[in-house]
Amino acid sequence: MYLSQACKPRQSVFDRSRRDVVLNISDLLEDRIDEDKAFHFFEENYTTAGMQTLIDKAFARLENRNSQASTFLLAQAMGGGKTHSMIALGLLAKYPALRRKILADTVTGD
């Protein structure tokens, strides 16, 4: 099977007017991502297994479901999703409604 047969990108991937979906960590730190843009971020992006593990462990600690202090080493190569994962975690921490939708099965919510 060829990659082109296994993967079918959404048309939005090719739409140059949708560049606002690409976020920088500074967008999160400087509060430039409103709740609508946060929801859109998750509609347009795939949650990898590594990102899901980071989110699960971080929220387990934040919700006192795990009392052990944790340090996460994001050691992927350049382009491996470190910034993407940190933005996703930050948006979920910031917006309870987004958290309820995206993490309905794993996180308690508020």
Side-chain angles (χ1 to χ4, degrees):
M1 177 179 282
Y2 294 103
L3 182 61
S4 62
Q5 294 169 317
C7 300
K8 298 290 182 199
R10 294 178 310 277
Q11 277 305 116
S12 64
V13 169
F14 305 105
D15 185 350
R16 291 186 181 269
S17 69
R18 298 180 57 110
R19 294 186 58 85
D20 64 338
V21 175
V22 178
L23 301 175
N24 295 308
I25 195 74
S26 61
D27 294 328
L28 179 64
L29 297 173
E30 295 172 12
D31 200 28
R32 291 191 300 249
I33 307 171
D34 63 21
E35 194 166 14
D36 287 338
K37 192 178 263 189
F39 272 98
H40 190 65
F41 173 84
F42 281 94
E43 288 172 352
E44 288 291 316
N45 290 283
Y46 179 77
T47 302
T48 64
M51 184 189 306
Q52 189 65 51
T53 298
L54 172 67
I55 291 167
D56 290 344
K57 291 186 179 296
F59 278 99
R61 179 69 177 114
L62 291 171
E63 295 177 340
N64 290 319
R65 290 185 282 123
N66 181 350
S67 61
Q68 183 178 3
S70 300
T71 301
F72 301 100
L73 176 62
L74 302 177
Q76 299 97 334
M78 186 172 181
K82 296 175 296 292
T83 301
H84 185 83
S85 295
M86 290 186 293
I87 291 171
L89 182 60
L91 292 174
L92 291 168
K94 183 173 183 174
Y95 295 113
L98 181 64
R99 207 164 43 245
R100 286 189 293 273
K101 178 181 180 191
I102 302 299
L103 304 176
D105 297 332
T106 59
V107 176
T108 59
D110 302 324

